[in-house]
Amino acid sequence: MHICFITNEFPKQGFPHGGIGSFVKTLAPALVKQGMKVSVVGINYIEKEETEIVEGVEIYRVKKNTVKGFTWYLNYKLINTKIKEIHQRNPIQIVESSELGLAFINKLPDVKYVIRLHGGHHFFAESEKRKIDKWKGFQEKRSFKKSDAFIAVSHYAKNHTEKYLSYNNKPLVYLNNPIDTDFFKPISKNESKNKIVFVGTVCEKKGIRQLIQAFPLVNKKFPNVSLETYGRDWFFPDGSSYIQMLKEKELPKLGQLASHIHFHGAIPFKDIPKAYSKAAVCVFPSHVETQGLVASEAMAMEKSVVFTKYGSGPETIEDYKTGLLCDPYDPEDIAEKIVWFLSNISKANEIGKKARAFVLRKYKVEDVVNRTISFFKELQN
């Protein structure tokens, strides 16, 4: 079986990527190990076409187009051309994308098209307190109509998405995002008793602003703590930086404590476990998540994890058993959960071990891969 993923985010040295990139980086090589042929097609970060093979996965990065006003159309045209070219050489059976990805993809005969619910424009509208953009909303609805099947990474992802979009009575299956527990495993030698670690895109919906507001409350109990953030910056529609906004509006409120908060920017995929390993507590107060990867990755490393109580949070963490759940809009509650972990080291260690055991049961790569292959084969019949 030949599976083609459409994404621009497959990790590339020197460039930032998001959760979808991490997901494909984990799943695609595992599919190859099971005898599948896997291709990944997306627009390159630079104005150059590149092809490479990573762990048996063929990566096609198409030269991006920058013609103002027509970029979206021309880029889709390039992706369609590349998929057709790949298909002619080695027939594709499955094309998979995220919510908006199929909007202008030309469907090929005998190929099944699948959307995996990573969290699209409609999904995040409520948490971002914004209206649906007509153009993006149109694309997402068009994409859903083109899809032959859907994969929900959590029950919340499925239920919340269908408030806005129809699955059109197409097949739908639940498949959690896989976690590579050989890659994300305990590294005790790097741990610091004083570091709070956040990993993810630095933007409003990830709760980083509320985490910064919680920091002084934690500092009152533990004066030596620092907040280490790892992740790409997010930019407002006018092009201004979210991190710069935090530095100008939030950090000055902290006075000297601001020097204890560090923005490390995006780091290579291979270095993410090192970032988690330094943490006494990993904190991800997202306003909403489909499933998210960071909480489960840190749990696989036996870390003390504070995650959101909203969205898929309760599906990911059992409160006070495999981690702690917080109200991501309430800095006091975030601080309380961090302080609890820092004050209860032996219980935190016990929770960390239970967290890894939970991830091994629920997110094991081999299990997710086998179920993915079975679902794709069913679609072909």
Side-chain angles (χ1 to χ4, degrees):
M1 187 190 307
H2 186 179
I3 303 160
C4 179
F5 292 92
I6 300 175
T7 178
N8 305 332
E9 291 191 12
F10 194 92
K12 180 180 178 181
Q13 187 71 30
F15 293 88
H17 68 274
I20 295 176
S22 296
F23 157 77
V24 177
K25 177 67 174 66
T26 299
L27 183 64
L31 286 166
V32 170
K33 287 179 181 177
Q34 291 298 317
M36 304 295 108
K37 181 172 179 57
V38 182
S39 301
V40 178
V41 178
I43 301 300
N44 205 350
Y45 296 93
I46 58 177
E47 292 184 50
K48 179 182 178 182
E49 182 162 330
E50 295 178 314
T51 302
E52 64 177 325
I53 298 176
V54 178
E55 297 181 79
V57 181
E58 296 182 5
I59 315 298
Y60 299 90
R61 293 189 171 97
V62 180
K63 179 182 177 181
K64 68 176 179 180
N65 201 294
T66 56
V67 178
K68 193 171 182 180
F70 294 94
T71 302
W72 65 272
Y73 171 76
L74 294 171
N75 282 343
Y76 264 112
K77 188 175 180 180
L78 290 169
I79 289 175
N80 277 317
T81 299
K82 181 57 67 176
I83 291 175
K84 186 176 180 181
E85 174 190 310
I86 295 167
H87 182 66
Q88 287 173 342
R89 286 201 310 269
N90 194 318
I92 296 167
Q93 283 73 49
I94 301 288
V95 171
E96 179 181 313
S97 82
S98 56
E99 284 87 340
L100 193 141
L102 300 179
F104 299 103
I105 293 298
N106 298 328
K107 295 185 74 171
L108 299 169
D110 301 320
V111 177
K112 296 296 182 181
Y113 293 77
V114 179
I115 286 177
R116 196 172 301 242
L117 304 174
H118 291 288
H121 182 71
H122 285 85
F123 179 90
F124 285 114
E126 185 178 315
S127 66
E128 293 177 348
K129 297 180 174 59
R130 59 163 169 77
K131 294 180 179 179
I132 303 299
D133 178 85
K134 288 183 179 180
W135 175 232
K136 288 183 179 179
F138 164 76
Q139 289 183 72
E140 214 161 56
K141 287 178 180 178
R142 181 183 172 97
S143 184
F144 268 54
K145 286 180 180 178
K146 285 193 171 186
S147 184
D148 296 305
F150 299 86
I151 297 173
V153 300
S154 66
H155 290 278
Y156 181 78
K158 182 259 184 187
N159 296 337
H160 189 65
T161 299
E162 70 182 350
K163 288 182 180 179
Y164 306 95
L165 298 162
S166 171
Y167 300 121
N168 302 300
N169 297 315
K170 304 289 180 63
L172 184 149
V173 68
Y174 294 100
L175 290 172
N176 295 118
N177 288 329
I179 303 297
D180 186 343
T181 51
D182 291 326
F183 184 64
F184 294 103
K185 59 186 178 182
I187 309 175
S188 58
K189 63 181 180 180
N190 287 346
E191 184 169 303
S192 166
K193 295 179 180 179
N194 302 317
K195 293 187 185 298
I196 301 165
V197 169
F198 168 94
V199 176
T201 303
V202 183
C203 63
E204 186 68 17
K205 69 183 178 186
K206 295 296 183 181
I208 184 64
R209 185 168 59 85
Q210 288 84 2
L211 177 53
I212 289 172
Q213 291 169 352
F215 185 75
L217 303 175
V218 178
N219 180 266
K220 284 181 182 179
K221 296 280 188 179
F222 295 91
N224 295 322
V225 294
S226 68
L227 173 57
E228 313 295 329
T229 73
Y230 299 87
R232 61 181 178 179
D233 197 0
W234 181 87
F235 295 90
F236 292 97
D238 65 1
S240 59
S241 158
Y242 188 85
I243 290 178
Q244 191 59 38
M245 182 278 291
L246 292 174
K247 289 179 177 179
E248 292 175 358
K249 294 187 177 180
E250 293 296 332
L251 295 195
K253 299 175 185 176
L254 307 186
Q256 292 183 342
L257 287 184
S259 64
H260 294 252
I261 297 176
H262 309 114
F263 295 95
H264 299 279
I267 57 174
F269 183 81
K270 65 181 179 63
D271 292 335
I272 294 176
K274 294 178 186 176
Y276 292 135
S277 71
K278 296 174 183 177
V281 185
C282 293
V283 188
F284 314 112
S286 299
H287 297 171
V288 69
E289 289 282 2
T290 51
Q291 174 197 317
L293 292 170
V294 290
S296 304
E297 290 169 352
M299 290 165 70
M301 295 186 66
E302 296 188 358
K303 286 296 168 183
S304 301
V305 176
V306 178
F307 195 36
T308 177
K309 72 177 185 179
Y310 297 125
S312 62
E315 295 182 56
T316 307
I317 281 180
E318 191 173 357
D319 210 14
Y320 288 94
K321 291 188 178 179
T322 55
L324 298 183
L325 298 174
C326 71
D327 182 340
Y329 297 100
D330 184 352
E332 289 188 10
D333 191 48
I334 296 170
E336 181 185 314
K337 300 305 165 57
I338 297 171
V339 167
W340 189 92
F341 268 132
L342 295 175
S343 304
N344 295 277
I345 301 301
S346 105
K347 288 183 180 178
N349 290 336
E350 183 182 333
I351 285 174
K353 292 184 184 302
K354 288 181 178 178
R356 178 168 172 83
F358 173 79
V359 172
L360 286 168
R361 289 196 306 272
K362 188 170 182 179
Y363 303 117
K364 192 175 181 181
V365 174
E366 292 80 2
D367 293 344
V368 176
V369 166
N370 289 335
R371 291 175 62 204
T372 298
I373 293 171
S374 295
F375 182 59
F376 287 165
K377 284 181 177 179
E378 287 174 14
L379 291 179
Q380 290 180 275
N381 295 332

